[in-house]
Amino acid sequence: MKSGILAAEAIFETLSTTTITEPIEITSYESNLKQSWVGKELFEIRNTHASFHYGLIYGMIYTAFACFISKGNEPWTLTNHVPDSQRTKPAKHFKEIDYPKADNIVTFDLLTNLQRSGTYHDEQPSHLRIKENLKHIPSQVSISTYAGPEQRFCPAGVYEYVDNENNEKQLVINSQNCIHCKCCSIKTPNEYIQWTVPEGSGGPNYTIM
């Protein structure tokens, strides 16, 4: 919420003091964010996620060190040299997990949870598109090599593979279900999804927060 407030303030300041004739980049937002308490908190934990790439035990030890001892004052920053989309391993190396069905008391099915999110998109062009040069990825790479991971990591059931008339798996994108987590833009094989900002005010509308 604080980051949104800072974004609004930076936009308002720019619109109030600048005559805009073409698209511009509002650079003050980044510096304002870094100087706020949000930026300071994020800086303190900047290495915690990356530390888990060295293993669970190392990650837990390093995270405890960074959060309770160094408070982010380490003179280094751990970096990711491999995109998340390239860290997915082929499905043949794993056994499929048979999850228990929702009991509707403590656990609920995906569509029930989706309905509670209040997600709604007006009639508009899909904001989830397959990149032109990667149209072959869903059928030739994602489903065949990785068993379609987007079917499982998407919390809103946006992506599903169905059988076409040739009994081949074909990707269907239910963009109206999207709750804007943007996981697909970084985790799909080869990052084949082009995620754009939806028109209007479409998306989740949580009523109890």
Side-chain angles (χ1 to χ4, degrees), residues 101-130:
K101 293 183 179 180
D103 59 17
N104 293 320
I105 299 174
V106 177
T107 59
F108 302 88
D109 63 273
L110 185 148
L111 292 180
T112 298
N113 285 331
L114 178 63
Q115 184 181 29
R116 289 174 174 168
S117 74
T119 297
Y120 177 77
H121 292 85
D122 284 322
E123 293 185 12
Q124 58 180 274
S126 174
H127 65 287
L128 303 171
R129 299 182 178 90
I130 300 176

Side-chain angles (χ1 to χ4, degrees), residues 56-77:
L56 176 62
I57 301 300
Y58 180 87
M60 293 179 67
I61 294 173
Y62 189 94
T63 297
F65 168 77
C67 292
F68 299 106
I69 300 176
S70 69
K71 296 292 185 178
N73 290 314
E74 310 98 290
W76 59 79
T77 297

Side-chain angles (χ1 to χ4, degrees), residues 1-12 29 37:
M1 185 176 292
K2 178 63 175 178
S3 63
I5 293 173
L6 291 172
E9 290 175 347
I11 293 171
F12 179 78
Y29 170 63
W37 59 264

